[in-house]
Amino acid sequence: MSGREKRTARKIRFSLDALLSAALLIGVFFAVTSRSYTETGRFRRAERANLVGPSEIIDRLDLPEHWTEVGYDRLMIGDDGEEILFYPLRKKTELGTIYGDWPLFRREKTDGLLLTTLPSNGLSGYGARNTAVPLFLFVDDPRAVRAEVTLRLSDSIEIELAQGRGRDVPQVKRDGFAREHFFLFTIPVPENRWSKRWELLGELAEINSYVWTVTTEFPAIIRLYDISGALLETREYLIQSPGITGTVRE
C-alpha cells in the first residue's frame, strides 16, 4: 500500500470513528432526555415542583370510559407515607396532540387511611354517559386485605360496597376491580337523572376537586378484615373536599 493510500485509509477510519462517536452521543442524549418525558419522569418533576417525594408509585391506572368524565384518561398514584399523590395524565388524542398534564393532587391520610374519589378540576362532565363513580380506599395496615364500606349519601340512601386487594386475595366480584395496594370500588349511577341519588353522586364525583370546595360531606363506615376473615377494625369516616379531613375511630 502506497503512502497516499495509507493516508486515505486513515482519513476514512477517522471519519468513521467520528460518525460513530457522534451517533453514540446522540443516542445517549435521546436516552437521557426521553426518560424525562416518560410518565414516570413527568411525575417525578411534579413531585419536585411540589417539594414532595420521591414517593412509591403504587399504580398506573387507565380510566374506563364508563367512569365519571374528568378530562384525563390515565392516573398515576404515589404513596408518600403521610399522603397519597394523584397525577392525572392525558394520552394522545386521535389527532396526535398531547395535552398538558394536570397539577399534582396531594391528599393527606388520617390515621393511615384515605377514602376519596377521582381527582377533578370541578368542571367534569358528570352526565348521561357516565355509569359509575369510582371510590378509592387507601389503608396503611398491610393486614387489611378486604374492606366493606357503608356509604351514606343521605338520611334515606345508603350504599354497600365490598372489595379485596392483593395478589393472593380473591376479588369481590360485585365491584370487579381488585388492585394490589388499595381498594377500588365502583358505584353505579342511576339512569334517572332527576333522582336524588343521581344528584348526590354528582356531588360525590366532584368532591376531590382542586378548584373549589364541595360543602357536602358523605359519612361512611369502613370495616377492614385480614386474610382469615377476622375483623381488624371498624372506623367512621367523612368523605370531604381537600383540606378538610377527619375520621373517628370506634
Side-chain angles (χ1 to χ4, degrees):
M1 181 180 292
S2 66
R4 177 177 296 178
E5 290 174 336
K6 290 180 179 179
R7 288 193 296 273
T8 300
R10 284 197 297 269
K11 289 180 179 178
I12 293 174
R13 286 197 300 271
F14 177 80
S15 299
L16 290 174
D17 290 342
L19 288 173
L20 289 173
S21 298
L24 179 61
L25 289 174
I26 292 173
V28 171
F29 172 79
F30 279 106
V32 172
T33 56
S34 64
R35 283 198 296 269
S36 67
Y37 289 99
T38 63
E39 291 177 348
T40 300
R42 288 145 66 187
F43 177 70
R44 296 304 184 198
R45 286 204 309 274
E47 284 184 316
R48 291 193 294 271
N50 286 269
L51 303 179
V52 295
S55 64
E56 177 189 1
I57 298 176
I58 59 176
D59 214 322
R60 292 175 173 86
L61 183 64
D62 288 318
L63 274 57
E65 291 185 357
H66 65 280
W67 279 11
T68 308
E69 173 58 44
V70 285
Y72 56 88
D73 49 22
R74 196 162 204 199
L75 182 65
M76 293 187 69
I77 304 174
D79 191 333
D80 197 28
E82 299 297 322
E83 294 180 318
I84 294 295
L85 309 178
F86 295 102
Y87 190 53
L89 295 162
R90 284 183 272 193
K91 297 182 291 188
K92 290 184 178 180
T93 67
E94 294 179 358
L95 298 178
T97 302
I98 300 179
Y99 294 101
D101 296 339
W102 281 35
L104 186 74
F105 283 70
R106 300 169 56 181
R107 293 302 307 269
E108 186 177 354
K109 302 174 191 174
T110 304
D111 295 331
L113 190 148
L114 173 65
L115 182 62
T116 190
T117 57
L118 279 174
S120 165
N121 63 359
L123 302 173
S124 66
Y126 178 81
R129 87 172 185 85
N130 308 122
T131 59
V133 175
L135 191 63
F136 297 84
L137 173 60
F138 301 90
V139 180
D140 284 350
D141 189 345
R143 299 174 301 165
V145 297
R146 178 180 168 88
E148 296 177 351
V149 174
T150 301
L151 174 64
R152 182 179 298 171
L153 296 182
S154 69
D155 291 339
S156 59
I157 303 176
E158 283 191 352
I159 297 174
E160 296 290 340
L161 302 166
Q163 189 54 273
R165 68 172 178 180
R167 296 180 180 178
D168 301 326
V169 180
Q171 68 180 29
V172 180
K173 294 182 179 179
R174 64 180 173 184
D175 288 321
F177 289 96
R179 311 302 294 187
E180 180 71 18
H181 298 285
F182 55 89
F183 302 95
L184 177 55
F185 311 96
T186 54
I187 306 172
V189 174
E191 295 183 1
N192 181 7
R193 299 184 62 178
W194 304 106
S195 69
K196 186 62 174 178
R197 181 185 292 254
W198 193 95
E199 177 185 339
L200 290 169
L201 284 177
E203 294 183 21
L204 177 65
E206 297 285 5
I207 207 166
N208 197 14
S209 169
Y210 73 92
V211 176
W212 60 56
T213 297
V214 176
T215 57
T216 306
E217 298 176 339
F218 296 95
I221 298 177
I222 302 169
R223 294 173 293 276
L224 303 174
Y225 301 86
D226 66 13
I227 189 69
S228 68
L231 179 65
L232 295 173
E233 71 168 303
T234 300
R235 194 183 298 196
E236 294 183 357
Y237 192 92
L238 281 178
I239 303 177
Q240 301 168 312
S241 286
I244 309 174
T245 57
T247 60
V248 179
R249 190 185 303 272
E250 285 192 346

